[in-house]
Amino acid sequence: MKLPATILAGAMIPLGLAAPLKLEEDDDSKLTRILRRIYPVAVMIALSSELISVMWATVTVNQLTENKVPLAASVWDLLRQEYELEWAAVNAHFVLGMFGFMWIIGTRAYFVAQKGPLGLSVAGIASSGLLTLVSIVNRGIAAGGGKAEHTFGGTIIGLVSNYVSLLLKRAVGLTNRPAGALELIAVGLFLVSFGHAVRAIIMDTTTKEKQQ
């Protein structure tokens, strides 16, 4: 997944950073104000997810190349025994980044179409594509390795929750790998930053409504 994740990450940079949306326009409604403020948050989450996916994949491939791994009955058994966290991480971050990219495209297309009926139509098409992506991913996750015990969950929510659980277990040293303080700091920093972003979006929107 390194190549598609890299391509998506490269496409997000001009969309989100080189040519960002304005945070405010005089004729903005409540919905458009919220969308404008969610946009940079979605860009950063999606871009970070794809880059993290690339890094997980790269390091894991290097480990498979450099280290002698025990024999396993199948590739799936090898992943579950030795690289369960890595497999869940690559898939979870790639999928979340892809969903975020679709959100970015839909939001930007809505404003390019000058909002209104055309903008809503464009956003509806993007939403249809996003729901289709979710459906495809959910079916793939549910299918897993072909058996009920060979899955990471039934939906994308199960995949992400499984990944977070595995990550926290390794971070606090509950696995056969060393504990990772940086992983705990990264999770904590994300939660605090995301909480502040949600608070800022709500406060900014509420303030503008009172001023009007």
Side-chain angles (χ1 to χ4, degrees), residues 41 188-204:
V41 179
L189 182 59
F190 171 79
L191 293 176
V192 171
S193 300
F194 185 77
H196 277 290
V198 172
R199 181 172 177 270
I201 291 170
I202 295 173
M203 289 185 63
D204 287 351

Side-chain angles (χ1 to χ4, degrees), residues 141-197:
I141 294 171
K147 298 180 180 179
E149 64 271 19
H150 290 175
T151 67
F152 281 97
T155 64
I156 180 63
I157 296 175
L159 173 63
V160 173
S161 62
N162 198 321
Y163 161 57
V164 173
S165 175
L166 292 169
L167 180 65
L168 292 177
K169 285 180 181 178
R170 180 175 294 186
V172 298
L174 296 180
T175 65
N176 58 353
R177 305 289 181 88
L182 288 179
E183 292 165 345
L184 286 175
I185 294 173
V187 172
L189 182 59
F190 171 79
L191 293 176
V192 171
S193 300
F194 185 77
H196 277 290

Side-chain angles (χ1 to χ4, degrees), residues 11-29:
M12 291 179 204
I13 294 175
L15 286 174
L17 302 177
L21 290 176
K22 293 182 180 179
L23 283 179
E24 188 175 337
E25 292 284 358
D26 294 335
D27 61 341
D28 279 345
S29 63

Side-chain angles (χ1 to χ4, degrees), residues 27-200:
D27 61 341
D28 279 345
S29 63
K30 182 179 180 180
L31 172 62
T32 55
R33 282 198 299 270
I34 293 174
L35 288 176
R36 287 183 187 277
R37 284 159 176 75
I38 291 177
Y39 187 82
V41 179
V43 168
M44 194 50 59
I45 291 176
L47 178 59
S48 298
S49 285
E50 294 300 346
L51 292 177
I52 292 171
S53 179
V54 170
M55 186 56 66
W56 271 114
T58 301
V59 172
T60 304
V61 169
N62 288 344
Q63 289 178 347
L64 284 168
T65 304
E66 298 165 358
N67 300 327
K68 183 179 180 180
V69 296
L71 294 177
S74 66
V75 175
W76 180 261
D77 289 330
L78 175 63
L79 292 173
R80 293 304 297 259
Q81 292 170 15
E82 301 294 328
Y83 299 100
E84 187 174 22
L85 171 60
E86 290 81 355
W87 180 253
V90 170
N91 283 276
H93 279 293
F94 176 76
V95 169
L96 289 176
M98 183 173 59
F99 290 168
F101 180 70
M102 199 66 197
W103 170 272
I104 293 166
I105 292 295
T107 301
R108 197 168 191 90
Y110 172 74
F111 286 102
V112 169
Q114 301 298 313
K115 300 171 280 189
L118 180 58
L120 290 174
S121 298
V122 171
I125 294 172
S127 299
S128 173
L130 178 58
L131 292 175
T132 303
L133 290 176
V134 174
S135 175
I136 294 170
V137 171
N138 284 343
R139 288 181 181 277
I141 294 171
K147 298 180 180 179
E149 64 271 19
H150 290 175
T151 67
F152 281 97
T155 64
I156 180 63
I157 296 175
L159 173 63
V160 173
S161 62
N162 198 321
Y163 161 57
V164 173
S165 175
L166 292 169
L167 180 65
L168 292 177
K169 285 180 181 178
R170 180 175 294 186
V172 298
L174 296 180
T175 65
N176 58 353
R177 305 289 181 88
L182 288 179
E183 292 165 345
L184 286 175
I185 294 173
V187 172
L189 182 59
F190 171 79
L191 293 176
V192 171
S193 300
F194 185 77
H196 277 290
V198 172
R199 181 172 177 270

